[in-house]
Amino acid sequence: MAKVNTSLNDERTIELVQRKGLLAGRYKWQILRLALARSLKMTTPPGEHYDFGTSDGKEYSLEQVCGEGKPDDENFTDLYRLLISNYHQQDLFADEEMFIRLLQRHIRRGLDEFRTSWRESHDFHEYLYQSLFSNLNTAKQQDRNAAPLPLLEMLEEIGVRGHIKETIDGSRLTRFMLHLPDANDLSKLKRNLDTLAFSLGLQEQGIFTHETNQPKVIGLDVPRPASSWHSQGFHEQSRWIEQGKSTTFLLPVYPGVDVLGKPYSFDLAKAPHLLVAGTTGSGKSVLLHALIASLVQSCTPAQLQIYLIDPKRVEFTAYKQLAHLAPEGLVTDAPAALKLLKELAGEMERREQVLADAGVRDLEEGLTKQVIQLPFIVVFVEELSALLMESQDTETYLVRLAQKARATGIHLVLATQRPDADTFSGLLRSNVPSRIALTVRTAAESRIILDETGAEKLTGRGDMLIRLVGGNVLRLHGVNINADDIAQLVKMTRK
Ligand SMILES: Nc1ncnc2c1ncn2[C@@H]1O[C@H](COP(=O)(O)OP(=O)(O)OP(=O)(O)O)[C@@H](O)[C@H]1O
């Protein structure tokens, strides 16, 4: 008889939800059904990659999943068949095999969603309530976002006439491709985006415009309620890394997906230093984990050494056993951080001599010509402002490293909640040219980071604007890496 198969990761999620979410004593089939409900709330169909469980996963019968063969009041098979038929606009009463396959895809996608968007430290019931029901009382707003007609009415209110050529669902936003017969309406539209957002009940989350190459067509990116977001997690990130192995990037990082859900990557070695800024809860720590996870999965410990500076002492402790962590590479107080930065400045000078002796310009050339064998070094700083408050010298060494360390293969990733002049002085600013802004408090903070406004209107939780050295600003939605993923990552590197 046909079964629903899971993977080991799915099983871990089920156990975690049992133990920490529902606080023990619940049955696995209950969690499978909750996962099904979660997936059916999402607007795009689950992918085919959920078709294959793994040999270390489990098999569940239709009796367990749907109550097949039980008395009528406990048997939901036909109800689930109806719901899934409706979702996929396909008659699954006539195709049993397809029903089981889609049932499995939804259940496994729902489990993935739990894994990537719920944190053990958060109340699972509240999370579930929010993700299953929160848009019931904002249903009107969601309909408005989904249906072009009311959007057009709102546009007319601000004096803009147009029609929607196409609607594309991204992972958190819907992009409306708006055709404007009168090109003069474009400036009116851009001036009135806040009014439009207000009319659509979007509160502080903004509507962004997106230039297109079609004549008189502009993209309008409108945020959807969080319950309809599609999250990306460690699992997806690992797949992108595997698929991207042929790139020439020296230090590939995969922070997330673009507005339309396409994975985005860049070479940290070319950045060559990165500032990450955002208010508390905007997703800075999760983003740093995503960057670390990318590097660790792409490079061996012989190719890359990582230093982690965390004056808050909380974020990086899980990496203690990471194979890529440099000896004494985890630093949790400001004096030790200063000592480390001094040592790294010394290492930079030593490397400069090694490069000069080998007759090469930089580490990349030395590695290509196989005349040097040194690992890249990436230094992550979790809260830059806490560090800078301790000593004036900290900034001096950071600036020195930012100015000169690139050629020697030493790169900095600096995170801060406070992107103001005290934290991000002119000298640091000009030497840390690549920036990521998560949600910030004010337009002025957005300007300090990106030289333009916008980050004050993001949707939070890993929504970000990125500007790499010399490039344009691009919007990304971050990969969600949780504590379990980090534990798995660390274990993988120790093998
Ligand atoms: N990419 C993401 N996808 C979904 N949820 C996310 C993502 N990034 C962060 N979150 C959610 O947002 C919450 C806050 O994230 P995080 O702890 O990284 O914020 P932070 O900016 O580091 O905050 P603080 O400065 O207070 O430490 C997390 O608990 C997580 O649930």
Side-chain angles (χ1 to χ4, degrees):
M1 193 177 138
K3 309 256 186 201
V4 166
N5 293 287
T6 58
S7 68
L8 184 59
N9 245 343
D10 296 335
E11 287 306 309
R12 288 201 178 118
T13 307
I14 293 170
E15 277 158 28
L16 188 72
V17 173
Q18 278 186 304
R19 224 169 355 100
K20 299 241 168 110
L22 296 174
L23 302 178
R26 301 291 168 154
Y27 299 106
K28 291 192 171 188
W29 58 262
Q30 291 177 314
I31 292 148
L32 298 181
R33 292 179 190 186
L34 291 174
L36 173 64
R38 179 67 194 96
S39 176
L40 288 173
K41 284 289 290 184
M42 296 162 75
T43 49
T44 51
E48 289 175 15
H49 60 281
Y50 291 116
D51 284 351
F52 307 101
T54 52
S55 55
D56 43 15
K58 285 216 158 60
E59 285 184 346
Y60 294 90
S61 65
L62 278 198
E63 183 191 349
Q64 288 168 293
V65 180
C66 312
E68 170 95 333
K70 296 207 165 205
D72 282 354
D73 58 349
E74 291 176 40
N75 183 353
F76 300 109
T77 317
D78 279 349
L79 175 68
Y80 293 168
R81 207 187 302 266
L82 185 69
L83 285 170
I84 300 175
S85 294
N86 193 28
Y87 185 101
H88 291 271
Q89 296 290 294
Q90 195 173 343
D91 180 6
L92 298 172
F93 286 86
D95 190 343
E96 180 71 4
E97 198 186 323
M98 186 48 93
F99 167 57
I100 312 258
R101 188 175 300 170
L102 292 174
L103 183 66
Q104 174 171 318
R105 282 187 201 168
H106 278 287
I107 288 175
R108 295 198 57 209
R109 189 213 357 215
L111 290 171
D112 252 2
E113 195 55 29
F114 289 163
R115 210 165 57 76
T116 53
S117 61
W118 166 66
R119 279 211 161 180
E120 306 168 34
S121 50
H122 293 181
D123 186 317
F124 183 74
H125 294 87
E126 177 61 22
Y127 158 77
L128 207 58
Y129 176 77
Q130 289 293 335
S131 58
L132 294 181
F133 304 112
S134 66
N135 59 341
L136 285 188
N137 42 11
T138 56
K140 271 202 201 121
Q141 175 197 320
Q142 197 184 12
D143 287 350
R144 243 187 261 143
N145 290 346
L149 203 59
L151 174 65
L152 293 179
E153 281 170 15
M154 300 300 161
L155 284 165
E156 272 195 30
E157 274 184 20
I158 56 168
V160 173
R161 291 169 146 267
H163 72 272
I164 308 289
K165 287 189 69 179
E166 197 186 350
T167 304
I168 311 166
D169 266 349
S171 63
R172 293 190 184 187
L173 312 166
T174 298
R175 176 167 290 169
F176 295 101
M177 300 292 273
L178 176 68
H179 178 252
L180 299 173
D182 181 355
N184 293 317
D185 277 353
L186 182 61
S187 49
K188 209 184 295 170
L189 172 66
K190 287 191 172 173
R191 272 200 315 275
N192 286 290
L193 286 173
D194 284 349
T195 313
L196 195 61
F198 172 72
S199 305
L200 290 170
L202 293 171
Q203 296 166 344
E204 70 278 10
Q205 299 174 17
I207 295 177
F208 286 63
T209 55
H210 172 80
E211 309 293 329
T212 76
N213 51 14
Q214 301 175 40
K216 294 191 175 179
V217 174
I218 183 91
L220 276 189
D221 290 343
V222 181
R224 291 197 308 269
S227 55
S228 71
W229 291 357
H230 319 306
S231 301
Q232 283 77 30
F234 185 53
H235 181 68
E236 284 79 11
Q237 191 195 44
S238 304
R239 205 174 58 238
W240 306 332
I241 293 171
E242 204 44 51
Q243 288 163 354
K245 281 251 156 91
S246 55
T247 63
T248 52
F249 290 175
L250 298 164
L251 296 174
V253 282
Y254 290 77
V257 293
D258 68 13
V259 166
L260 298 185
K262 192 163 158 270
Y264 177 84
S265 62
F266 68 94
D267 190 354
L268 184 63
K270 298 280 182 303
H273 309 294
L274 183 65
L275 177 86
V276 173
T279 182
T280 176
S282 59
K284 283 182 307 302
S285 308
V286 173
L287 174 60
L288 296 188
H289 295 313
L291 300 180
I292 295 171
S294 313
L295 291 170
V296 161
Q297 291 176 88
S298 307
C299 307
T300 65
Q303 294 167 324
L304 168 71
Q305 291 220 303
I306 291 180
Y307 288 87
L308 302 170
I309 301 178
D310 178 14
K312 290 196 291 187
R313 298 161 192 256
V314 286
E315 272 313 326
F316 292 143
T317 42
Y319 293 106
K320 255 188 194 152
Q321 301 295 322
L322 184 78
H324 300 67
L325 188 70
E328 307 200 28
L330 180 62
V331 170
T332 51
D333 65 72
L338 178 59
K339 185 165 162 277
L340 171 64
L341 293 174
K342 259 187 215 170
E343 285 166 8
L344 285 169
E347 171 66 10
M348 175 179 77
E349 280 157 22
R350 190 183 73 79
R351 286 182 171 213
E352 281 171 344
Q353 193 54 55
V354 173
L355 294 177
D357 293 346
V360 290
R361 209 178 43 243
D362 55 22
L363 180 60
E364 182 179 357
E365 190 185 339
L367 292 172
T368 313
K369 292 186 172 161
Q370 298 187 336
V371 290
I372 292 182
Q373 271 198 325
L374 285 171
F376 282 93
I377 289 177
V378 181
V379 186
F380 287 85
V381 175
E382 162 67 25
E383 186 44 76
L384 181 62
S385 57
L387 207 60
L388 293 176
M389 260 188 290
E390 285 290 321
S391 143
Q392 190 74 50
D393 290 344
T394 310
E395 186 179 358
T396 311
Y397 284 108
L398 278 174
V399 169
R400 192 178 298 172
L401 286 167
Q403 277 169 336
K404 287 171 57 193
R406 174 202 185 137
T408 60
I410 301 176
H411 302 276
L412 306 175
V413 178
L414 310 174
T416 183
Q417 270 185 36
R418 293 183 33 197
D420 51 24
D422 286 344
T423 308
F424 200 38
S425 69
L427 264 179
L428 261 184
R429 245 175 102 71
S430 50
N431 289 295
V432 180
S434 292
R435 322 273 172 75
I436 294 183
L438 293 133
T439 309
V440 294
R441 282 167 308 175
T442 62
E445 286 187 349
S446 177
R447 234 177 273 116
I448 289 177
I449 308 160
L450 299 168
D451 298 323
E452 61 183 67
T453 60
E456 74 286 2
K457 291 182 182 161
L458 294 171
T459 56
R461 291 193 271 165
D463 196 5
M464 66 186 103
L465 296 174
I466 178 168
R467 186 200 283 283
L468 296 179
V469 55
N472 292 327
V473 171
L474 184 76
R475 187 166 185 180
L476 301 179
H477 308 306
V479 173
N480 194 3
I481 305 282
N482 62 30
D484 274 357
D485 301 326
I486 297 171
Q488 195 185 334
L489 181 77
V490 170
K491 215 161 136 200
M492 269 160 50
T493 70
R494 307 296 309 180
K495 274 187 187 155

